[in-house]
Amino acid sequence: MKEITTQEMDSLLAQKNDLEKALESLEYQGDTGGTAKKGGDPELSPNEAVLEIRAGTGGDEAGLFAMDLYKMYTRYADSKGWRVTETFFSENSAGGIKTAILSLKGSRAYEVLKNESGVHRVQRVPVTESGGRIHTSTATVAVLPVFKNIQLDIRPEDLEMEFFRSGGAGGQNVNKVSTAVRLKHIPTGVVVECQEERTQGKNREKAMNILSTKLFEMMRKQKVEELSEIRLSQVGTGDRSEKIRTYNFPQDRITDHRINENFHPVVTILNGQLDEILAKTKNIQ
């Protein structure tokens, strides 16, 4: 017990030191209340994107559907020769996804996928359903651009930071210490997570970069100059009524509600053959 307690104290002290360093590194950003700094204009990288997939309403089935979307997008990326890096991955007890965050790099990655953001709805009989009833579940998708030269004043007191153990696909812990990082921007409620690197410092740095990108993109879309003016409106709440697309298994049909068109077959599209849908939806504003 003494040895275990000593190890736990060493781990907690290491986390305490990392937190103190994190706060110190943020202090240089000043106390302007969350405005965009003057300097070079941020530059969008059309060949990079951050893809977030999160389970919505529907319990375990929502997580399983989120896993289907994860496989669909990664297979599509592979077919295009894009490089896919898993920044964060969290499973539920049924083998589905709670949250998955991917970094995509390849020709026009952001331009191709930018209109995939929104609530995706599935209608099917879950494998756990013994009565044969059709269930409706959702998952949310967010496709974020990657900007270079972003300079935002994010006040340390507006951040909640948490360290936890990294986990990967398959539910196995890939670290025995708390290296994964979760950041929450309190005024907007925006949360980012990163477990890609092996150290807290590097994961924190990447998480801060993703957070800055999210906040800047929200400022850009809402045409505001201060973080305090942002209205939280990324992909909605994940409610079934906020859908952009429905994957109907019994009728073997995918409907994109923004253009009111149907696509077939569901299994083929979920296997990564997205070109037809992406071509039809590329001009959505």
Side-chain angles (χ1 to χ4, degrees):
M1 286 297 296
K2 181 178 179 182
E3 182 179 352
I4 293 173
T5 303
T6 301
Q7 291 176 351
E8 185 70 15
M9 286 181 62
D10 290 342
S11 175
L12 291 172
L13 284 172
Q15 290 185 48
K16 176 177 177 290
N17 290 334
D18 277 321
L19 283 168
E20 289 174 346
K21 290 178 182 177
L23 290 173
E24 288 173 3
S25 69
L26 289 170
E27 286 177 355
Y28 82 96
Q29 294 175 333
D31 56 358
T32 59
T35 60
K37 292 183 181 178
K38 301 299 182 183
D41 292 331
E43 179 182 350
L44 185 148
S45 177
N47 298 326
E48 297 181 65
V50 174
L51 173 66
E52 292 189 358
I53 304 169
R54 299 178 187 270
T57 57
D60 287 343
E61 170 64 5
L64 293 172
F65 177 51
M67 177 68 83
D68 290 337
L69 295 179
Y70 170 90
K71 292 177 179 177
M72 179 180 75
Y73 289 119
T74 54
R75 287 166 180 166
Y76 179 78
D78 288 341
S79 73
K80 297 301 178 183
W82 298 347
R83 183 156 63 94
V84 180
T85 304
E86 191 177 277
T87 302
F88 184 82
F89 190 97
S90 174
E91 279 187 310
N92 66 18
S93 59
I97 286 176
K98 292 180 181 178
T99 302
I101 304 175
L102 304 172
S103 172
L104 305 177
K105 292 184 180 181
S107 177
R108 298 176 57 249
Y110 173 68
E111 289 298 319
V112 170
L113 293 179
K114 65 182 181 180
N115 286 327
E116 290 298 287
S117 294
V119 177
H120 295 237
R121 182 178 73 167
V122 65
Q123 295 175 320
R124 64 183 176 188
V125 179
V127 294
T128 56
E129 172 57 54
S130 59
R133 292 174 298 178
I134 297 173
H135 287 223
T136 299
S137 304
T138 66
T140 61
V141 173
V143 181
L144 303 170
V146 174
F147 291 96
K148 308 297 182 183
N149 195 35
I150 293 180
Q151 298 184 63
L152 290 180
D153 287 318
I154 302 175
R155 299 184 300 186
E157 58 267 33
D158 285 342
L159 290 178
E160 285 183 2
M161 188 179 307
E162 178 186 355
F163 294 114
F164 56 99
R165 291 186 180 182
S166 299
Q172 299 297 315
N173 282 332
V174 294
N175 265 306
K176 293 185 178 181
V177 294
S178 301
T179 58
V181 175
R182 181 180 293 112
L183 287 178
K184 179 179 180 180
H185 185 246
I186 299 170
T188 60
V190 173
V191 177
V192 299
E193 295 152 313
C194 183
Q195 66 181 28
E196 179 185 350
E197 302 293 343
R198 292 184 176 274
T199 66
Q200 287 180 349
K202 289 184 178 180
N203 280 326
R204 176 181 51 78
E205 182 179 352
K206 287 202 170 186
M208 278 298 299
N209 288 338
I210 296 173
L211 178 63
S212 295
T213 295
K214 275 193 169 186
L215 295 175
F216 179 78
E217 175 66 358
M218 292 171 71
M219 290 172 67
R220 188 172 70 99
K221 285 186 175 181
Q222 297 178 19
K223 297 180 174 62
V224 300
E225 294 185 358
E226 297 198 10
L227 294 178
S228 59
E229 298 174 356
I230 290 178
R231 301 174 306 280
L232 186 57
S233 58
Q234 293 186 94
V235 293
T237 64
D239 186 78
R240 296 176 180 88
S241 64
E242 299 176 329
K243 60 187 181 296
I244 65 166
R245 190 176 296 156
T246 295
Y247 301 69
N248 188 310
F249 277 74
Q251 298 179 18
D252 197 23
R253 180 189 71 225
I254 293 178
T255 302
D256 194 293
H257 302 285
R258 299 166 297 180
I259 58 175
N260 197 29
E261 286 201 34
N262 297 324
F263 303 88
H264 315 269
V266 173
V267 172
T268 298
I269 294 170
L270 285 176
N271 200 39
Q273 297 189 29
L274 280 167
D275 284 322
E276 183 182 2
I277 293 180
L278 294 176
K280 292 285 186 69
T281 58
K282 68 178 181 180
N283 293 322
I284 293 174
Q285 299 297 321

